[in-house]
Amino acid sequence: MNVTEDYTGHVEPGAAARRVLDALTITKMSVGPMDNNAYLLVCRATSEALLIDAANEYERLSDLIGHGPDRPSLRTIVTTHQHADHWQALGALAGAYGTDTVVHPLDADPLPVPPDILVEHGDTLSVGEITLEVIHLRGHTPGSIALLYRDPKGHPHLFTGDSLFPGGVGKTTSPENFASLIDDVEQRIFAQLPDETWFYPGHGDDSTLGAERGKLAEWRERGW
């Protein structure tokens, strides 16, 4: 598989790009008819790997992980939320690699395989020597989660699923759900993390909190 090392936060459908941090690599690939982003995180010290959203195209995700003896060891697959476009390849990948599957309990039922690990707000997950923090963002779905990596030698990295995009929060189906989501995004993300935090959404391009922070009042006024 062709993986570019020139990471910008944008990938074309079917393409992959890798970002190399001091202790972690992040590879982003767009898969499926809805251009879902899947993220492969690999601990550089141990070669253990975690996949965020096995959204579609099992064969291409498997190719991304690799087939040689030096390929990373996929231990965990995290599903950010219950919508079906985010787990079409989950059953096949979990079965092929024997991974633990992770989701918030409120979003577990629609998934094609029973979860091995249920996570709540404030829990942590490990990928090798890397720790990821779980942030529950209620509103896009009841159990939507984000994952936060606090790079000790750089800025934070936040994987937001469909709860936060450049230009606004994720889609909601009622004013109540919108209020819940915008409140959680403001209180649990923007109030807690610095402007240089880079975030990685479930579709489309990445952004930073600093680029979006000034638009929060506009988003709230715009509503659901």
Side-chain angles (χ1 to χ4, degrees):
M1 169 169 292
N2 182 29
V3 180
T4 178
E5 303 289 341
D6 181 22
Y7 192 90
T8 65
H10 173 80
V11 291
E12 293 295 324
R18 179 176 293 120
R19 183 174 206 166
V20 180
L21 307 180
D22 183 69
L24 181 73
T25 65
I26 301 167
T27 307
K28 175 178 182 175
M29 185 164 70
S30 173
V31 296
M34 298 183 69
D35 292 338
N36 288 73
N37 293 326
Y39 298 96
L40 182 68
L41 280 54
V42 180
C43 171
R44 298 183 67 189
T46 66
S47 289
E48 290 187 12
L50 176 148
L51 182 69
I52 299 173
D53 284 343
N56 213 314
E57 296 189 75
Y58 159 78
E59 294 84 0
R60 295 191 62 255
L61 288 174
S62 184
D63 287 345
L64 179 66
I65 297 163
H67 302 285
D70 60 345
R71 72 180 184 272
S73 176
L74 183 64
R75 299 292 182 85
T76 310
I77 303 174
V78 178
T79 302
T80 58
H81 63 288
Q82 65 177 267
H83 288 158
D85 60 309
H86 289 261
W87 49 254
Q88 290 299 304
L90 177 61
L93 277 171
Y97 291 88
T99 64
D100 287 332
T101 60
V102 180
V103 71
H104 190 281
L106 293 178
D107 273 16
D109 285 349
L111 270 57
V113 294
D116 299 295
I117 299 171
L118 297 173
V119 290
E120 301 277 0
H121 180 69
D123 287 346
T124 60
L125 294 167
S126 296
V127 50
E129 297 178 359
I130 302 299
T131 298
L132 303 172
E133 302 171 27
V134 177
I135 303 173
H136 186 195
L137 301 170
R138 301 158 290 188
H140 180 64
T141 64
S144 289
I145 58 172
L147 296 179
L148 173 65
Y149 170 53
R150 299 182 188 267
D151 185 354
K153 296 189 176 182
H155 55 74
H157 298 261
L158 180 67
F159 302 87
T160 58
D162 284 1
S163 291
L164 176 63
F165 296 96
V169 297
K171 181 180 179 180
T172 55
T173 57
S174 70
E176 293 76 19
N177 287 342
F178 171 77
S180 176
L181 181 56
I182 192 72
D183 286 348
D184 276 359
V185 165
E186 286 190 350
Q187 296 165 13
R188 297 183 172 185
I189 293 180
F190 283 93
Q192 303 296 325
L193 297 170
D195 282 352
E196 58 266 29
T197 302
W198 187 286
F199 72 88
Y200 306 76
H203 305 263
D205 293 351
D206 304 350
S207 187
T208 65
L209 295 189
E212 309 299 324
R213 190 182 298 276
K215 307 169 188 174
L216 283 167
E218 175 188 334
W219 298 351
R220 186 176 285 278
E221 178 67 22
R222 186 175 65 200
W224 68 286

